[in-house]
Amino acid sequence: MFTHIAEHYPGTKEAKLAAAYLASPELFLKQNKIAVTARKTKSAPKTLSNLEKLNQMIKENSITEAEWKELPAKSRIPYSHENGHLQVKAKINGKDVKMIFDTGASICTLSTADYPGLLSKGTLSKAQPVPIRRPHGITRGRLCRVELTVHDITRRVNILATNEPGVSVVGQNFFKEYNYMIDPFYIRLTRAPYRSPEDKIEIISRDPYQVDDLYKESKPDKKPVSKNEIKTADYQDRFKLPFKRMGELMLVDMEVNDHKVKACFDTGCAVDGIVMPPQFYKLLEIKVDGEKKNIADKVVVGPIHKKYVKVSFAPTLQFLLIGPKIFDRPYTVDQKESCIVFDY
């Protein structure tokens, strides 16, 4: 962010401060008499790493095999397209709401601006405040436990109540135990095989939140490509796109201007293009044309190759977002095989 300010707002007071900090953080803090000290306590709690927090969250949000068996084996949920989103009808504590089916949301959320009074003031005042990362910034929600019904599936789930309008979403904590297929009319859910919390925890040697895990600066090898490989890439209509879990989010591999990068597959991403934080603009060589539109010359996801893709700005994201408009076809999310299957 400091780099973005220094480059895009030259001559301003903020740009000079950002440049001074980037040149020497320790000297900057010393000159401005900013002391960074650790608060000492007699019984300081153990600080968990991001990986430990991730594993703890997976355990806390998993269900038992008996609870899994109680879930409907299949469901066919009708949806409508509204403002580029998949909109479904739902009930929260028996009251009707409209929500977005959002694979990019790890937890369900409710807009108290759109549905005032659905949760009582007493419930909200007692609820734990939780920061929520949005593409435009950080906001605050209240963590509540509700009964959520979507079509014929009813579950007790955690939901974040926020006063932002238009952000009521059905997140991964509601449908993560299902494989789901999105066709032009329905979200078709099929209960996936049961996985214990231990099976869901992937032991990795690196911190999953480090930027260099999500962005790799090296360009792909320029190896000769055989005619068969070209034909497969150009004409294969059915393909599988593997994903890896980061919490409840699905991260897929893609290329932007020949740079390898990871992106979150997000059905709540309604833009016709990709979304990224500003610190990636220079690294991924994003261009700004005469109309002040940000453009990626080339985007590759699996066998799909696109040129001149629109890039939308989102300051607080940790990684890129790609939505269904990049693929423009029905797909099935296979939870067991950890892949997104595109039939044509």
Side-chain angles (χ1 to χ4, degrees), residues 157-178:
V157 295
N158 288 331
I159 195 168
L160 285 173
T162 173
N163 58 9
E164 292 180 282
V167 295
S168 299
V169 305
V170 182
Q172 288 277 3
N173 63 322
F174 183 85
F175 55 81
K176 63 184 177 181
E177 282 82 19
Y178 285 91

Side-chain angles (χ1 to χ4, degrees), residues 141-154:
R142 295 277 176 174
L143 186 64
C144 305
R145 189 79 172 170
V146 301
E147 183 180 84
L148 174 60
T149 299
V150 181
H151 195 50
D152 55 354
I153 300 175
T154 299

